[in-house]
Amino acid sequence: MGWSRDEQAARAAQELKDGFCVNLGIGMPTLVANHVPDGIDITLQSENGMLGMGPFPTEDEIDADLINAGKQTITELRRTSYFSSADSFAMIRGGHIDLSILGAMEVAENGDLANWMIPGKMVKGMGGAMDLVAGVKKIIVLMDHVSKDGSPKFRTACTLPLTGQGVVDMVISDLAVLARPARGAPFRLIELAPGIDLPTLRTKTEGGFIAD
């Protein structure tokens, strides 16, 4: 069974804390905005110069000039502010973002992250990923546990070009939640998705983790 993409996003939303400033990566992480728990007030930040993003627009609300860093149309809030990309990256590099939720192609057991290119395939560029993993206080990865060809994405060591070294604090895949209490510590199994047992998870995981 395992979790659907929306269920993974909902599980990631449980990690949000009141007052957090949060950056959501493109792809599955954008779904987290749809699952913010009641009573939790967060501020979404986008690398292209927006603080305080609203939900995705209805068809009547679409404004082609109002987009996030992934070029998706979004809405603004009464408290939304706009600024230059330089100011946006100053927030990120200066440690003012509490949490970033990103996608990944590979995560290593030591927290290394590869999420920006596959050699030989056309890529749009690094974007803000390298700055985010270097400057944000906590990094959560949302990803499928295995790639389309069935190979594990949580690995002993990344085989793809790195975005950052030792930067991932939590992985929420369609099969499980793996997290570590501090950078440099090993990952531990926190939660299994419905219908997934430990032997199944181990067969689909190359990297090491602790299961109590």
Side-chain angles (χ1 to χ4, degrees):
M1 287 175 60
W3 284 309
S4 67
R5 290 166 63 88
D6 261 311
E7 288 168 336
Q8 283 175 255
R11 177 60 183 82
Q14 293 177 26
E15 302 300 316
L16 300 173
K17 298 195 184 320
D18 197 47
F20 264 21
C21 188
V22 181
N23 181 287
L24 301 178
I26 62 174
M28 199 190 324
T30 61
L31 298 175
V32 174
N34 300 332
H35 298 280
V36 178
D38 292 339
I40 298 294
D41 182 25
I42 64 165
T43 300
L44 294 176
Q45 190 261 13
S46 184
E47 300 103 287
N48 58 328
M50 189 174 180
L51 189 65
M53 290 185 289
F56 289 119
T58 63
E59 205 166 314
D60 295 335
E61 295 174 321
I62 290 175
D63 178 347
D65 292 325
L66 200 56
I67 59 172
N68 62 18
K71 298 183 174 58
Q72 296 168 305
T73 52
I74 49 175
T75 58
E76 61 183 0
L77 307 171
R78 289 184 64 185
R79 69 188 191 203
T80 298
S81 59
Y82 301 94
F83 35 84
S84 73
S85 180
D87 289 329
S88 177
F89 277 90
M91 292 178 190
I92 293 167
R93 294 167 183 164
H96 304 292
I97 309 299
D98 299 289
L99 171 66
S100 185
I101 303 176
L102 302 171
M105 297 165 186
E106 293 178 342
V107 174
E109 62 184 38
N110 68 348
D112 289 355
L113 171 66
N115 81 339
W116 74 283
M117 76 168 295
I118 297 174
K121 293 196 175 182
M122 192 172 75
V123 62
K124 292 180 181 177
M126 173 65 75
M130 190 172 284
D131 297 273
L132 287 164
V133 299
V136 175
K137 296 166 189 170
K138 182 176 181 179
I139 302 295
I140 295 176
V141 162
L142 279 181
M143 68 178 189
D144 293 329
H145 205 83
V146 300
S147 59
K148 290 179 181 176
D149 66 4
S151 58
K153 294 177 70 172
F154 187 78
R155 308 183 65 96
T156 306
C158 292
T159 63
L160 297 172
L162 293 185
T163 307
Q165 293 182 308
V167 295
V168 178
D169 300 293
M170 176 179 283
V171 174
I172 301 173
S173 76
D174 53 326
L175 304 185
V177 179
L178 301 171
R180 53 187 185 157
R183 294 187 178 179
F187 279 90
R188 290 181 172 271
L189 175 62
I190 304 300
E191 190 176 340
L192 286 166
I196 305 301
D197 57 23
L198 184 56
T200 299
L201 181 66
R202 289 213 183 272
T203 63
K204 295 178 181 293
T205 309
E206 179 189 280
F209 63 89
I210 297 170
D212 296 328

